Every structure is written in C-alpha cells, then in structure tokens.
Amino acid sequence: TEIYTLSLHDALPIFSATVAEKLEIAPGDLVVVRRRSGTIGDVPWMLMGSYFPLDIAEGTPLEQAGEIPDGSIKLLSDLGYAQVGFVDEIGARMPTGGEFAFFGLSTGTPVVIVNRTAYAKDRPIRMTRYVYRADRVRLTHEVGSIPNR
C-alpha cells in the first residue's frame, strides 16, 4: 500500500537552475511547490516535489495543502493546460543529508532521481522530481497504448 502525505506547500522563489530551466522561467521566479513523502507500510519509499509556475498555480487548489480531487493533471487540464506529454530524465547520485535520514540509508547507497517535465501544447506546466533509494526500486515507464499482457 502506498501512503502519501503532503509535507510542504508554498510559493517559493526558485534557486534551482534545473527547475527554472525545465519550467522555462528565470531563476528566482516564484513557483508553487508541493512536496510528498511516500511509504509502503512503514518503509520509506519515495520523496516527491512538484513545481508549478506561479502564473498557472496562483489562486488554484495547487496552492492549498492536501490532496487534489482527481489529481493535478486533471486540475491543470480544467485550467486550460491539458498535458500533452512529458519528458523523464533519470539519473543517480549520492543522497543529501535529508534523503539519507528519510530513507535510513547505509553509507554508500545512492538515490535514483527522476525529473519529469510535463508539457501543455505550448509550454511546460509542471516539473516533478522523484527521489528513490537505488537499492530498492525498479522503474518501468509505459507510455501510449500497451496491449493487455
């Protein structure tokens, strides 16, 4: 069972060049950030942060803590920003101190990072960064119409 809790929601200036680049905004521009941590049972499984340009998210449920009924993809579509595709960039690195503590890692265990940039027809609308402990994850991405197996 996956359990997600919203741990932070805020409008923050973005200092990450990666997030600014993916959202095609200037470093320091305001974004709405929604963060979650996920566990399977009581085992830490995932950290996730979604970044939304302020001009899209301001005044919407994206700025409010808690679950979004029907999810952010549906909400963005209802706001006129239907997701038409996304790009995943996947890599690995050594964990930050916070990631090390959250996952209860052993020294030398890396984390897997997935940066997913979602696009509407004319612009990026969300950048989500997923962090997983590398020794307990297998990623499978299926996009498009996959026959039943």
Side-chain angles (χ1 to χ4, degrees):
T1 302
E2 298 172 13
I3 300 170
Y4 300 103
T5 55
L6 188 65
S7 59
L8 173 69
H9 144 79
D10 231 338
L12 299 169
I14 281 301
F15 301 104
S16 166
T18 301
V19 173
E21 176 188 346
K22 300 304 175 195
L23 291 178
E24 298 176 6
I25 60 175
D29 282 359
L30 293 179
V31 298
V32 170
V33 182
R34 295 178 62 86
R35 296 191 196 278
R36 293 181 166 203
S37 58
T39 60
I40 298 177
D42 61 352
V43 178
W45 175 65
M46 173 206 60
L47 293 170
M48 182 179 80
S50 290
Y51 302 81
F52 301 86
L54 190 61
D55 68 303
I56 292 175
E58 190 170 30
T60 74
L62 292 168
E63 287 190 308
Q64 300 166 8
E67 292 293 321
I68 297 173
D70 300 322
S72 63
I73 294 173
K74 171 83 166 68
L75 175 62
L76 287 167
S77 181
D78 292 346
L79 295 170
Y81 301 97
Q83 182 174 308
V84 297
F86 62 84
V87 174
D88 280 350
E89 295 177 82
I90 303 167
R93 62 167 169 72
M94 297 311 292
T96 65
E99 293 162 351
F100 188 87
F102 173 77
F103 291 115
L105 297 173
S106 300
T107 301
T109 304
V111 291
V112 171
I113 308 298
V114 179
N115 286 331
R116 174 172 289 176
T117 306
Y119 293 88
K121 65 180 178 177
D122 59 353
R123 68 178 287 189
I125 56 175
R126 181 186 71 241
M127 198 288 265
T128 300
R129 177 171 293 137
Y130 303 88
V131 181
Y132 306 95
R133 58 181 296 161
D135 63 339
R136 292 191 182 169
V137 69
R138 179 178 66 195
L139 301 174
T140 302
H141 293 195
E142 296 182 4
V143 180
S145 298
I146 308 298
N148 291 335
R149 298 181 271 169

